[in-house]
Amino acid sequence: MTPPAATGPLIDGFGRVHTDLRISITDRCNFRCTYCMPTEGMQWLPRPELLTYEEIERIARVAVTELGITSIRITGGEPTVRSHLPVLVAKLARLGVDVALTTNGATLASQAADLAAAGLHRVNISLDTLQPDRFAAITRRDDLERVLAGVDAAVAAGLQPVKLNAVIVRGVNDDEIEALAAYGREVGAEVRFIEFMPLDGDGTWDVEAVVPAAEIVARLDAAFGLAPAEARGHEPAARRHYADGRGAVGVIASVTDAFCDRCDRIRLTAEGRLRSCLFALDEVDLRRVVRDDAADAASTDAAIAAAIRGAVADKWAGHHIAQPVFVRPSRSMSQIGG
Ligand code: SAM
Ligand code: SF4
């Protein structure tokens, strides 16, 4: 175990500096996407187990002011199903960092303007198909029109950039890669194609269902013409501009070309567990720390900072998906926070 540094940036044993915090605010969702949740049988967290907005704000404040976090993404489950989301956005925006949201978009038509007014900077909306029947089959909800209206509302609200997350699964929607890219270009949103990861609620993931990023890039290049790949920073997506200058596209090769060696992310689950990796097998209980009534405010903040530093110091090199040593975490995507 690497002893964590008591001050300075959030650095792990491999020299990776962590500046991005992803906060799940609920494990619940109004969709049941096949690659994420089972149709039935999810055990929802009881309300008292969720971190309150005040507790989330406190952990985020320590992460920003003492640990060098510069960007925060709110996710879930579906974050827009939790009441009064703009209240949380405003609290996080006041910390002066980049605040983003990942959502299925189903309620954005009514919420985007309020979220933007509260200080939300940017949004990622999940959209895997443009075909209503297929949308209903993938999400188990007949809501494509509402999501498309949500995309329009996000653009109109000035959330910038609007990105569209598309999980491509072989035999499910891999025939829509070009159509999704064309839609993104039309509405001014950057599509990010994501390789299917073994975090589905049904546990049926198979490597044969993964459409490799290289195949997606080759198809896009053939259809539209792509400029050479941009140099990659800490973004998991390899980005390319279209050769005609009309927008850009990203491809996230979580399985075939993992970005673990450049990872700068930590995650907080809805019940306050800190995870140093999406696929981590260990978690640190920050809710216990933040709810420790015996401690005074200063020592609670110090304990939060120390717990986060400890979790990051112990972070592993990477997840090894699709290799014999890979161990699937017991939680699925919606329970971790994607
Ligand atoms: N409900 C919101 C949404 O769908 O955007 C936020 C939470 S969702 C878990 C976050 C992201 O994870 C979504 O873009 C979703 O498509 C992606 N995702 C879920 N399960 C996945 C899987 N097994 N492999 C790859 N991406 C997945
Ligand atoms: Fe819900 Fe998002 Fe998971 Fe779909 S991917 S079931 S919208 S949490």
Side-chain angles (χ1 to χ4, degrees):
M1 186 166 148
T2 318
T7 57
L10 256 187
I11 193 159
D12 70 10
F14 301 91
R16 295 172 295 197
V17 175
H18 292 70
T19 57
D20 186 69
L21 170 62
R22 316 204 139 217
I23 303 176
S24 171
I25 62 168
T26 180
D27 58 336
R28 295 176 194 240
C29 188
N30 41 2
F31 285 8
R32 294 287 181 279
C33 303
T34 47
Y35 51 70
C36 180
M37 279 196 193
T39 322
E40 303 205 18
M42 289 296 290
Q43 296 290 315
W44 308 121
L45 289 167
R47 184 66 205 242
E49 293 199 12
L50 295 182
L51 291 182
T52 64
Y53 285 170
E54 288 69 29
E55 290 167 340
I56 292 171
E57 177 190 25
R58 180 169 199 173
I59 292 170
R61 179 175 46 73
V62 171
V64 169
T65 58
E66 297 188 30
L67 304 174
I69 291 294
T70 56
S71 64
I72 294 179
R73 178 171 294 277
I74 302 169
T75 182
E78 174 48 40
T80 61
V81 302
R82 189 156 168 183
S83 315
H84 310 300
L85 181 54
V87 172
L88 176 66
V89 167
K91 286 178 186 297
L92 298 178
R94 273 198 291 274
L95 299 174
V97 293
D98 175 44
V99 180
L101 175 76
T102 302
T103 172
N104 62 29
T107 66
L108 269 189
S110 61
Q111 293 206 51
D114 289 346
L115 291 168
L120 184 69
H121 298 131
R122 52 203 181 92
V123 69
N124 285 37
I125 303 171
S126 295
L127 181 68
D128 309 308
T129 176
L130 296 164
Q131 301 176 19
D133 290 355
R134 186 176 281 177
F135 185 95
I138 293 175
T139 65
R140 302 178 176 121
R141 298 289 183 272
D142 188 11
D143 270 339
L144 176 61
E145 286 307 318
R146 289 176 69 202
V147 174
L148 297 182
V151 173
D152 291 343
V155 172
L159 295 169
Q160 192 56 259
V162 173
K163 292 186 181 172
L164 302 175
N165 288 357
V167 179
I168 302 299
V169 181
R170 180 81 69 199
V172 174
N173 61 347
D174 52 334
D175 57 344
E176 275 192 88
I177 291 168
E178 294 84 356
L180 286 162
Y183 170 75
R185 277 156 63 87
E186 187 187 308
V187 297
E190 183 170 320
V191 181
R192 291 152 42 107
F193 292 99
I194 304 174
E195 288 180 349
F196 180 29
M197 293 185 276
L199 286 171
D200 51 318
D202 291 332
T204 57
W205 180 89
D206 184 275
V207 74
E208 299 296 322
V210 177
V211 179
E215 180 180 328
I216 296 171
V217 169
R219 293 247 310 258
L220 293 170
D221 194 25
F224 303 100
L226 294 177
E230 283 185 358
R232 277 169 84 174
H234 293 290
E235 268 297 298
R239 265 184 106 224
R240 282 162 179 259
H241 283 271
Y242 291 104
D244 64 6
R246 256 188 79 201
V249 64
V251 183
I252 303 184
S254 322
V255 178
T256 62
D257 184 18
F259 50 91
C260 304
D261 56 344
R262 277 159 285 123
C263 180
D264 67 345
R265 302 174 166 194
I266 53 174
R267 296 169 190 271
L268 185 64
T269 68
E271 79 272 51
R273 305 283 169 86
L274 190 82
R275 298 174 65 85
S276 58
C277 173
L278 194 50
F279 294 89
L281 303 173
D282 300 320
E283 300 176 335
V284 170
D285 186 359
L286 287 187
R287 189 183 67 198
R288 187 183 52 73
V289 178
V290 83
R291 291 189 184 171
D292 180 3
D293 292 336
D296 61 34
S299 51
T300 296
D301 285 358
I304 292 169
I308 297 175
R309 282 192 188 283
V312 171
D314 287 345
K315 180 162 173 161
W316 61 16
H319 56 58
H320 304 298
I321 296 178
Q323 296 173 33
V325 292
F326 176 70
V327 180
R328 192 189 153 113
S330 56
R331 289 164 176 269
S332 58
M333 190 66 132
S334 63
Q335 296 165 320
I336 297 170

